[in-house]
Amino acid sequence: MSVDDRALPAKPPVIAPGHTSATVSDKIGEIVFRKTPRWWYFAFAGSFALVMLLLMALTKLVVEGTGIWGLNNPVGWGFAIINFVWWIGIGHAGTLISAILLLLRQEWRTSINRFAEAMTLFAVACAGLYPLIHVGRPWLAYWLLPYPNTMGMWPQFRSPLIWDVFAVSTYATVSLLFWFVGLIPDLATLRDRATSGFSQRIYGVLAMGWRGSAAHWHNYETAYLLLAGLATPLVVSVHTVVSFDFAVGQVPGWHATIFPPYFVAGAIFAGFAMVLTLAIPLRAIFNLHDFITIRHIQNMCKVMLATGLIVAYGYLIEIFMAWYSGHWYEQFMILNRITGPYRYHWWALILCNILVVQLLWIRKVRTTPVVAWIVAMFVNVGMWLERFVIVVTSLHRDFLPSSWGMYSGTFWDWATFIGSIGLFLALLFLFLRFLPMISIFEMRTILPKEEAES
Amino acid sequence: MDPGRRVGLYGLVAEFDNSDQLLRAAKGSRADGYRLVDAFTPYPIEEVSEALGHHHSKLPLIVLIGGILGALGGFFLQYWVSVIEYPLNIGGRPLNSWVSFIPVTFECTVLVASLSAVLGMLALNGLPRPYHPLFNEERFALASRDRYFLCIKKLDPAFDREGTRKFLEGFDPIGVYEVEN
């Protein structure tokens, strides 16, 4: 009796039939030990070149200061904040998949949670970079932390900016812990599979002597569930706090109570788009069609559609509240967004985040990976535009027409942004090469029982 | 402790092909009076942990304590900074504006609770442990792939080299191996 016959006759299985505990372990573990494929060198070299671009941009920044960016008065928050919010939003899908879907017992999450968590870590690393460099003197960024110092100064705990320091650093730490705890049994599998003394030693040290003891599993499972339970409210809090950075301010276009839920939904929307962007090529390259099935792609598309609709609702409410509030500046801000100098950004955002996403209602679109990938790319771009619109159009024309201005990114803004995409990809390629991209031990647990024992 | 403990036999290990056999052997060994029994599986199997008497983990309590300490620490850090050490008058708001302290208090709660979950889990499991006698048995590498192992330690009062071997063989294992310390 297999699980699928009994409960879900209509749904395709989350793992292709015919797999056993041994084949799952071998197929995923083998990717790490096989000879490095040629494409990997090209891909890694390409992304590493972008990391060099990032380093160049950062060096220029340290030498000359934030004047190399397009920041000005009135737009004091430019690419750095846009990219920060964009990256941290992308990270949210990883935690959602690993924690919330685990608590909801969504078995299909198992084959995508590992690399989605890795994606979270790398996205948070890229995100964390921006506030640090945006302070202008990154070597003094530790001033953000509360510590006894000779200046006798302390952070201002009533400010959302300091909440952000705690939220993002906690998020980075907990994501790393969650990811590493999930890796321990798989590192033991790699240790036991490794043939060279060097890799045995490295994986052996990382696996910390894991033996799969029943007593250990008992504590392990408890720890994993508790971490999921802790990460769930955490992930919601992180983007809520990020939205407070805006919502607590009084600038028209920022000062809105809809911001926390709309930011959290936007984060999940962007994150699932990025998971799809990565998962669809990976499953083709590594021939993982057995584990990342059409059902996974379908489900992720559905989550994207649902969160996309919440985001669309957020846009509508912004417009509605501007009218309903009877607030001149609020009304001008919305009109300026839709018809002002940045109108193309706004309309492109509506195209990417609302119109294109409606294609996902069609089953054929959800089940054709290439098309789903294209929709996901639209969302990636759209969510970046959303943050651009929120940051720039709100700031560039606020209360006093005499202080209006325009903003655009300079070469160095773009170099930093594209460089951070390179950093993200480079870390991802290293991860794919040296660690199992799918959680092996969790895959074993969702095998139909019969086959696990044959 | 006993200096002889580090040399000689560690215990007997039986290798099984499937989890049902392992579960039967685990239940059987407990019923037969063995106490120092451990099972090793490629993935968590709740029934096996329960059969071996692992009902309650101390971990939730550790995490609860960690969370409470994190919450208190986070809140009173802010209280001490904002009220005692560095009072700032921001638009006449109270120094102890506790509502604005909630986000950081929450983050500290989660941070310390998560750290205690991970460190607590490792501590309860006695990890990291680079050396373990079981790693001496070559077949044991399969415990992280697709095989199920049951180990009865020599220190178990009911342990008897021949008797225990016969007992384990009764469960139809792939093999029973002697593991040296």
Side-chain angles (χ1 to χ4, degrees):
Chain A
M1 172 189 66
S2 106
V3 175
D4 299 293
D5 299 342
R6 186 157 40 86
L8 308 160
K11 280 189 185 163
V14 284
I15 184 165
H19 276 290
T20 67
S21 186
T23 61
V24 167
S25 314
D26 293 346
K27 189 152 187 202
I28 304 170
E30 180 250 357
I31 294 172
V32 176
F33 291 114
R34 78 160 77 132
K35 196 168 165 295
T36 310
R38 185 178 294 239
W39 68 264
W40 188 90
Y41 288 107
F42 285 108
F44 184 71
S47 43
F48 197 70
L50 294 179
V51 177
M52 292 295 111
L53 179 69
L54 175 67
L55 288 182
M56 192 168 81
L58 293 183
T59 310
K60 174 94 175 164
L61 175 80
V62 169
V63 173
E64 293 195 17
T66 45
I68 64 167
W69 293 343
L71 298 180
N72 57 32
N73 266 325
V75 185
W77 275 12
F79 268 43
I81 300 299
I82 298 168
N83 297 341
F84 163 70
V85 181
W86 189 69
W87 275 122
I88 202 129
I90 286 171
H92 279 42
T95 320
L96 183 98
I97 290 171
S98 56
I100 300 181
L101 296 186
L102 175 79
L103 296 180
L104 296 178
R105 295 180 186 276
Q106 295 294 310
E107 278 192 343
W108 61 275
R109 78 178 256 291
T110 304
S111 43
I112 51 173
N113 77 328
R114 170 69 48 72
F115 80 80
E117 280 172 47
M119 180 197 81
T120 295
L121 275 181
F122 306 148
V124 172
C126 291
L129 180 71
Y130 285 102
L132 295 185
I133 60 177
H134 196 235
V135 297
R137 289 181 287 169
W139 54 93
L140 296 177
Y142 64 91
W143 284 9
L144 291 165
L145 302 172
Y147 73 105
N149 54 60
T150 50
M151 301 173 286
M153 306 241 279
W154 289 89
Q156 170 28 346
F157 281 111
R158 297 175 194 85
S159 162
L161 297 181
I162 208 75
W163 304 347
D164 224 12
V165 173
F166 279 82
V168 174
S169 53
T170 300
Y171 186 47
T173 315
V174 173
S175 304
L176 181 68
L177 288 174
F178 201 23
W179 186 65
F180 183 70
V181 166
L183 267 171
I184 293 174
D186 286 1
L187 288 167
T189 299
L190 294 182
R191 172 197 66 204
D192 295 339
R193 271 185 72 91
T195 42
S196 83
F198 180 70
S199 49
Q200 274 175 343
R201 210 154 286 169
I202 296 285
Y203 290 124
V205 167
L206 290 174
M208 297 194 292
W210 182 261
R211 302 181 288 285
S213 148
H216 292 185
W217 277 124
H218 187 58
N219 288 321
Y220 180 91
E221 286 264 271
T222 313
Y224 203 64
L225 274 178
L226 286 172
L227 278 177
L230 289 164
T232 299
L234 175 66
V235 68
V236 176
S237 86
V238 173
H239 230 63
T240 302
V241 168
V242 169
S243 80
F244 284 162
D245 291 345
F246 299 95
V248 173
Q250 293 186 338
V251 177
W254 287 3
H255 195 57
T257 46
I258 189 76
F259 262 36
Y262 147 56
F263 265 52
V264 172
I268 294 164
F269 183 48
F272 270 85
M274 189 54 94
V275 176
L276 278 171
T277 310
L278 301 176
I280 290 171
L282 285 182
R283 95 192 250 278
I285 294 169
F286 291 105
N287 198 18
L288 293 172
H289 302 80
D290 287 359
F291 302 147
I292 303 175
T293 61
I294 288 294
R295 182 170 157 203
H296 292 97
I297 295 174
Q298 271 239 58
N299 283 358
M300 288 192 271
C301 286
K302 287 177 187 167
V303 175
M304 229 163 75
L305 180 59
T307 48
L309 290 172
I310 302 177
V311 169
Y313 173 79
Y315 299 155
L316 281 178
I317 283 293
E318 276 191 315
I319 297 171
F320 171 77
M321 286 311 291
W323 168 75
Y324 186 69
S325 67
H327 189 291
W328 282 10
Y329 296 106
E330 210 55 56
Q331 287 169 354
F332 171 76
M333 182 278 302
I334 283 291
L335 277 178
N336 184 49
R337 246 181 214 182
I338 301 173
T339 60
Y342 290 107
R343 61 184 176 281
Y344 294 115
H345 291 79
W346 193 82
W347 286 106
L349 148 75
I350 297 298
L351 172 76
C352 294
N353 278 0
I354 300 185
L355 298 179
V356 173
V357 176
Q358 303 314 313
L359 288 174
L360 295 175
W361 288 102
I362 306 164
R363 191 187 167 82
K364 190 84 193 143
V365 171
R366 297 194 305 264
T367 52
T368 315
V370 182
V371 183
W373 190 84
I374 294 170
V375 173
M377 282 311 279
F378 269 97
V379 174
N380 286 330
V381 175
M383 285 310 288
W384 189 87
L385 285 170
E386 180 198 298
R387 279 67 181 252
F388 183 92
V389 165
I390 290 174
V391 170
V392 176
T393 63
S394 307
L395 284 174
H396 91 120
R397 287 181 174 178
D398 61 3
F399 306 99
L400 263 186
S402 61
S403 62
W404 287 0
M406 287 296 286
Y407 171 87
S408 61
T410 61
F411 170 80
W412 295 108
D413 278 312
W414 286 104
T416 316
F417 177 45
I418 294 169
S420 70
I421 296 178
L423 175 66
F424 175 77
L425 291 176
L427 289 168
L428 194 78
F429 285 126
L430 287 174
F431 159 72
L432 293 176
R433 192 67 205 94
F434 295 111
L435 291 170
M437 75 180 92
I438 294 177
S439 173
I440 307 175
F441 89 89
E442 285 180 290
M443 289 301 276
R444 294 184 193 122
T445 62
I446 60 165
L447 288 165
K449 203 164 174 350
E450 254 176 6
E451 277 156 335
E453 289 167 15
S454 62
Chain B
M1 290 196 210
D2 177 11
R5 205 174 153 173
R6 280 262 161 241
V7 289
L9 193 66
Y10 172 77
L12 283 171
V13 175
E15 176 184 350
F16 296 98
D17 190 29
N18 65 60
S19 57
D20 287 344
Q21 279 182 322
L22 174 79
L23 185 59
R24 262 194 297 128
K27 283 185 178 152
S29 59
R30 293 285 290 191
D32 222 47
Y34 290 104
R35 284 297 166 266
L36 293 178
V37 185
D38 204 350
F40 301 88
T41 53
Y43 54 88
I45 304 174
E46 215 171 297
E47 296 89 347
V48 174
S49 296
E50 296 218 331
L52 293 176
H54 305 297
H55 295 293
H56 295 287
S57 173
K58 283 194 204 101
L59 199 60
L61 184 65
I62 296 175
V63 175
L64 178 69
I65 294 171
I68 291 172
L69 289 179
L72 293 177
F75 185 82
F76 284 103
L77 168 77
Q78 298 177 82
Y79 181 86
W80 180 77
V81 165
S82 314
V83 177
I84 299 168
E85 176 65 13
Y86 198 66
L88 279 177
N89 184 340
I90 308 286
R93 285 171 185 78
L95 292 178
N96 176 22
S97 30
W98 62 271
V99 179
S100 350
F101 299 163
I102 289 174
V104 172
T105 306
F106 172 76
E107 303 298 338
C108 292
T109 312
V110 171
L111 180 67
V112 181
S114 307
L115 284 170
S116 10
V118 176
L119 298 178
M121 184 271 284
L122 293 176
L124 289 177
N125 287 352
L127 299 174
R129 180 160 183 188
Y131 175 78
H132 193 275
L134 282 168
F135 293 137
N136 292 332
E137 173 52 52
E138 221 163 84
R139 300 287 297 175
F140 188 71
L142 294 176
S144 69
R145 185 167 175 264
D146 61 339
R147 292 291 155 80
Y148 307 81
F149 291 81
L150 189 81
C151 174
I152 299 181
K153 290 186 203 166
K154 187 193 163 201
L155 293 173
D156 194 311
F159 185 86
D160 167 70
R161 205 164 187 153
E162 287 314 308
T164 305
R165 172 180 277 277
K166 284 230 171 62
F167 169 75
L168 283 172
E169 276 166 354
F171 293 103
D172 196 21
I174 295 175
V176 177
Y177 320 107
E178 293 193 347
V179 174
E180 298 291 317
N181 256 313

